[in-house]
Amino acid sequence: MKSLVFYTGDTRVEVHVSVLALFGYLFYQGWKLNLPAWHITTACVILLGSVLIHELAHVAAFQTLLDSPSQVLIFAIGGVTIPLVEEESSPRWRMAMVALAGPVANFILAVLSLVAVAAARDEVTANLGVTTLVINVALGVFNLIPSLPFDGGHVFAALLEGLLGRPRIAGFLTRMVGTLCGCLLLLGAVSLHDPMLGLTALASIYANSPL
C-alpha cells in the first residue's frame, strides 16, 4: 500500500501509510471511552491537519531564514520537515527559530480555537473548537520537550551552544538530557499502557544516542 503524496504550492507532502495505524489506535481508545465514531473521526482529521500545519510552518521558516526549500513526511508518531538544501554553516539561532516555528503555529491555532469556542452558538462548533484547542496545545507543548528529535531538542542545543560556546560539550549535554527525557517518556508509556507514546519514547532515545 502506497503513501499519499500531494503538493501544497511547491512543497511535497507525503503521508505515510503508518498513519492508518495511529488512526486505528485512536479509534480503539475512543471505542473504550464510548465516544461516537463521528467524534473520533473528527479528532483524527483535526490531528492530521494540525500536524500538517505544524510542518508547513517549518517549511516556511526554512524558506525564509535559510533560503532552503523542503518537503514534509507525516507518519504514525509525528512529522518531519526535510530541507532539500543542506545549510551546515547556518547560525544556531536560525535553526532554533526554524524549530520554534512548528510549536508557535500550534499555539496560534489553539488561540484561534479558544476564540471560536467563546463565540460558538451551538454545541457542534464548540466541540470542534475544544478538540482543536486540546490537540494543538498538546502538540505545541509536547514538541517543546528538550529532547531530539523534538523541536525543543533543537532549541535546547542552540541555547546551550550559544551559552557555552563549545559545540561538542553542548551536543553531549543535549544528548544526555534528551536521553533522560526519552527514558521518562518510556516510563510514562509503560505506566499508561500507551504503545504510541512508547514508540515516541524509543525514537527519542535512539535520536539522542551517540551511535
Side-chain angles (χ1 to χ4, degrees):
M1 190 173 184
K2 296 182 179 180
S3 301
L4 171 66
V5 176
F6 61 94
Y7 286 81
T8 60
D10 295 328
T11 302
R12 182 180 187 273
V13 178
E14 178 180 350
V15 181
H16 193 263
V17 67
S18 62
V19 169
L20 294 177
L22 172 63
F23 287 172
Y25 173 73
L26 293 176
F27 265 92
Y28 172 69
Q29 293 296 327
W31 173 75
K32 289 201 301 182
L33 296 172
N34 293 318
L35 294 177
W38 70 266
H39 194 141
I40 306 171
T41 302
T42 301
C44 289
V45 172
I46 292 173
L47 175 60
L48 181 60
S50 298
V51 171
L52 176 59
I53 290 173
H54 176 108
E55 297 304 330
L56 289 178
H58 288 312
V59 170
F62 267 119
Q63 187 66 56
T64 302
L65 296 172
L66 302 177
D67 196 26
S68 172
S70 49
Q71 61 185 19
V72 172
L73 170 62
I74 298 174
F75 48 98
I77 59 174
V80 60
T81 301
I82 307 167
L84 300 179
V85 177
E86 291 295 333
E87 296 284 349
E88 295 182 1
S89 60
S90 298
R92 272 291 189 176
W93 72 267
R94 290 194 178 188
M95 295 304 296
M97 294 300 291
V98 170
L100 281 173
V104 167
N106 289 128
F107 291 137
I108 290 174
L109 285 175
V111 171
L112 293 176
S113 301
L114 185 61
V115 173
V117 171
R121 295 186 177 181
D122 59 87
E123 186 177 353
V124 173
T125 302
N127 286 337
L128 287 174
V130 170
T131 302
T132 305
L133 172 65
V134 171
I135 286 175
N136 279 280
V137 168
L139 284 175
V141 171
F142 199 78
N143 272 281
L144 289 178
I145 294 174
S147 174
L148 298 173
F150 305 120
D151 299 322
H154 295 287
V155 175
F156 185 63
L159 290 175
L160 278 181
E161 186 173 327
L163 289 172
L164 301 176
R166 305 284 294 276
R168 292 186 64 182
I169 295 177
F172 173 77
L173 292 175
T174 298
R175 290 194 301 271
M176 292 298 292
V177 172
T179 301
L180 175 61
C181 290
C183 290
L184 291 175
L185 287 175
L186 187 57
L187 288 175
V190 171
S191 63
L192 295 172
H193 306 288
D194 190 328
M196 286 299 174
L197 182 58
L199 287 175
T200 304
L202 291 175
S204 177
I205 294 171
Y206 177 79
N208 288 281
S209 170
L211 299 178

